[in-house]
Amino acid sequence: MAKHPVSLTVNGDEHDLLIEPRKTLLAVLRDTIGLTGTKEGCSTGDCGACTVIVDGKAVTSCMVLGVTASGKEITTIEGLASDGELHPIQQAFIDTGGYQCGFCTPGFIMASKALVDENLDRTEEEFRHALGGNICRCTGYTKILEAVLQAVEEIRATS
Amino acid sequence: MKNFEYFEPTTLAEASLLFTQEHAQLLAGGTDLVIGMKAYTETPQSVISLQNIPGLTGITADTDNGITIGAMTKVREVELSEDILKHHTALAEGASEIGSIQIRNLATIGGNIAHASPAADTVAGLLVADAQVDIASADGERTVSINELFTGPGQTVLKPGEIITQFRLPSPASGSHYIKHKIREVMDLAFIGVASAVNLQNSVIKEARIGLAAVAPTPIRATEAENLLKGKISTPELLQQAGEAAAAGTSPISDLRCSAEHRREMVDVLTRRTLQIAIDRA
Ligand SMILES: Cc1cc2nc3c(=O)[nH]c(=O)nc-3n(C[C@@H](O)[C@@H](O)[C@H](O)COP(=O)(O)OP(=O)(O)OC[C@H]3O[C@@H](n4cnc5c(N)ncnc54)[C@H](O)[C@@H]3O)c2cc1C
Ligand code: FES
Ligand code: FES
């Protein structure tokens, strides 16, 4: 089957690739481009570990065919830090202990990033509900919520 | 996933022609199709993406025709649309019940309906909006009422080559509400879904529409209950009669998730509850 030319912008870098249509965006990011920060958990849309931001929206990259992402702008966990400085959400996960094994963390951080970019004025309950598509088997979620709320405060204070 | 040829047509005619070929499948947001392909329950030889066809996305409102929703509109957009929240609250609520935000940013309303899952969360809201489904193919266009679209679980009247282009919602409701009966707060499929919509005039129910999902081989309107309510003033007894009539009109199945008896009982309960909230909102 024919491979397709695909141009993606990932974390600001352009990639011109030839890919098989059956490759998911997740596989393209991890295997073709080599950005392994994005994780594959369930592969069925249920766990959120593969969350990346495409044209400003958080999506589960295991559900997206790579060919359909041509021309789009993608941000992964590797693209959050700038000039060697972590994004406030990343820093808050470290400060609060919002991770244990860390497998769910990139997904939680990318989902949270899209949420705070959209609207900082969410209650804890609203954040909890909005992050319902991300699963963590380690932390019990309390520290994750703490991290997100701390990051919101930090972003408010500096913006 | 089996390999396949991938097409990205830029016109409906081209897409329709490709779609008439054997073993072809349409791709919208991919949240049903990609899962199916990963599980090898779907093994298309060609996959036709609708994403580059102009005119299939977005929500427009005008005074003559009501609200129109393009088939490729993401359910997240349906959930957040001011126009839909105001005139078709039950549909916005249904959209907001699908999966997670990450799924709703991918899933389209056209895919949710075309896939024809009995538990699809936008179907009850579209039923009570009396939605008209516009369909295009290489042979021309036709319109089917949402009532007549489904023929069984996973089955619709859509023929090979036919593509849903938009949903037209000509009949706003002054109050409506959707309840998804489920266990988990998010990321769960509905045991049943119930939507009610009403228009009131001086407290009299001018019109009531009740849509039920996952209680019969196809989604249904509870027409007997609707007729009972018409022209009356809401009382607890009236709502109870409506709930019972709605439940009597269902033919649910028992499955791993819950029993037929429970489904029927919950139709009664949730019909009353959604009607009460729709009336409070009207
Ligand atoms: C983790 C997860 C959780 C979910 N939870 C829910 C839930 O709670 N409630 C719920 O209702 N759904 C749920 N879903 C399913 C829901 O995401 C889909 O039904 C979605 O709405 C389908 O739209 P799509 O654009 O992704 O369709 P696709 O997967 O792209 O297409 C699905 C089918 O519809 C056909 N199709 C698509 N567009 C058209 C068109 N315009 N005309 C004709 N045929 C068309 C295609 O041929 C294909 O067979 C969930 C899915 C996942 C992965
Ligand atoms: S790996 Fe994509 S949602 Fe779990
Ligand atoms: S930290 Fe281990 S899965 Fe969340």
Side-chain angles (χ1 to χ4, degrees):
Chain A
M1 301 269 166
K3 288 191 175 184
H4 282 247
V6 170
S7 306
L8 305 173
T9 309
V10 183
N11 304 328
D13 296 332
E14 267 196 47
H15 297 266
D16 293 314
L17 311 167
L18 264 183
I19 56 180
E20 274 188 7
R22 67 173 161 179
K23 273 206 156 203
T24 62
L25 176 60
L26 174 64
V28 172
L29 291 170
R30 287 181 56 88
D31 307 340
T32 313
I33 302 181
L35 292 172
T36 54
T38 307
K39 302 301 180 209
E40 177 164 25
C42 62
S43 211
T44 52
D46 292 286
C47 78
C50 64
T51 303
V52 300
I53 297 178
V54 178
D55 287 347
K57 311 270 186 216
V59 301
T60 41
S61 61
C62 70
M63 295 279 92
V64 177
L65 295 179
V67 278
T68 65
S70 197
K72 296 186 180 162
E73 209 150 301
I74 295 147
T75 309
T76 69
I77 188 74
E78 290 91 343
L80 284 198
S82 64
D83 299 331
E85 195 151 324
L86 292 179
H87 186 279
I89 303 176
Q90 292 175 300
Q91 191 58 51
F93 268 75
I94 295 174
D95 294 345
T96 60
Y99 60 92
Q100 289 177 19
C101 78
F103 197 84
C104 69
T105 315
F108 264 105
I109 291 179
M110 297 314 288
S112 307
K113 164 85 167 53
L115 289 176
V116 301
D117 284 352
E118 190 180 84
N119 176 12
L120 279 176
D121 294 317
R122 284 188 167 88
T123 62
E124 174 177 348
E125 191 52 39
E126 285 165 348
F127 272 113
R128 186 184 288 275
H129 192 267
L131 290 170
N134 292 77
I135 292 177
C136 173
R137 63 188 168 176
C138 306
T139 64
Y141 302 100
T142 308
K143 300 283 179 192
I144 291 177
L145 254 308
E146 253 173 54
V148 175
L149 294 172
Q150 180 187 308
V152 168
E153 288 312 312
E154 173 67 24
I155 293 167
R156 262 218 194 89
T158 54
S159 63
Chain B
M1 206 184 301
K2 263 187 74 163
N3 225 338
F4 51 83
E5 295 282 355
Y6 175 73
F7 299 93
E8 232 169 52
T10 52
T11 65
L12 272 172
E14 206 187 329
S16 170
L17 220 55
L18 286 164
F19 187 32
T20 48
Q21 287 165 12
E22 260 187 89
H23 307 297
Q25 192 52 280
L26 293 178
L27 176 70
T31 59
D32 281 323
L33 183 62
V34 173
I35 286 223
M37 292 196 298
K38 286 187 180 192
Y40 290 86
T41 53
E42 295 268 4
T43 51
Q45 286 168 8
S46 53
V47 168
I48 305 140
S49 166
L50 299 175
Q51 74 171 356
N52 283 354
I53 300 173
L56 295 182
T57 56
I59 298 166
T60 51
D62 80 68
T63 36
D64 292 337
N65 304 312
I67 291 172
T68 303
I69 310 173
M72 286 291 282
T73 307
K74 303 295 184 189
V75 292
R76 178 74 174 154
E77 200 182 321
V78 174
E79 158 192 2
L80 297 176
S81 154
E82 295 285 338
D83 288 320
I84 295 182
L85 276 164
K86 182 158 175 228
H87 300 293
H88 301 282
T89 319
L91 177 60
E93 289 170 331
S96 78
E97 289 280 359
I98 293 176
S100 59
I101 292 182
Q102 290 99 309
I103 294 296
R104 300 201 290 282
N105 278 335
L106 292 169
T108 65
I109 186 166
N112 198 232
I113 293 306
H115 191 62
S117 154
D121 278 309
T122 60
V123 70
L126 286 174
L127 274 174
V128 298
D130 252 339
Q132 300 298 304
V133 186
D134 287 342
I135 298 165
S137 73
D139 299 332
E141 290 167 19
R142 65 174 177 141
T143 298
V144 173
S145 164
I146 186 83
N147 245 333
E148 289 153 11
L149 188 76
F150 303 102
T151 53
Q155 311 260 298
T156 66
V157 298
L158 290 174
K159 296 197 279 269
E162 285 195 319
I163 297 168
I164 299 175
T165 55
Q166 59 185 23
F167 300 89
R168 283 181 291 113
L169 319 182
S171 327
S174 47
S176 68
H177 185 47
Y178 174 70
I179 296 181
K180 173 182 190 170
H181 183 40
K182 64 195 173 185
I183 293 181
R184 288 186 67 205
E185 196 181 326
V186 294
M187 298 296 264
D188 203 354
L189 280 187
F191 293 152
I192 65 166
V194 179
S196 291
V198 296
N199 282 309
L200 302 187
Q201 201 169 40
N202 305 324
S203 317
V204 175
I205 301 172
K206 248 178 64 189
E207 192 185 11
R209 298 181 224 122
I210 301 165
L212 307 174
V215 300
T218 65
I220 52 171
R221 285 272 294 271
T223 40
E224 260 186 52
E226 292 175 1
N227 292 336
L228 257 169
L229 292 160
K230 207 171 166 176
K232 304 221 177 76
I233 291 178
S234 166
T235 61
E237 293 74 35
L238 182 69
L239 295 194
Q240 185 168 351
Q241 286 168 15
E244 284 164 8
T250 63
S251 48
I253 55 161
S254 291
D255 60 16
L256 270 179
R257 297 162 49 70
C258 75
S259 67
E261 290 77 11
H262 180 68
R263 283 198 166 93
R264 189 173 288 117
E265 180 66 26
M266 288 311 291
V267 171
D268 180 356
V269 173
L270 296 183
T271 298
R272 272 184 275 153
R273 205 174 285 167
T274 52
L275 275 170
Q276 185 61 61
I277 291 172
I279 289 166
D280 291 346
R281 284 175 173 171

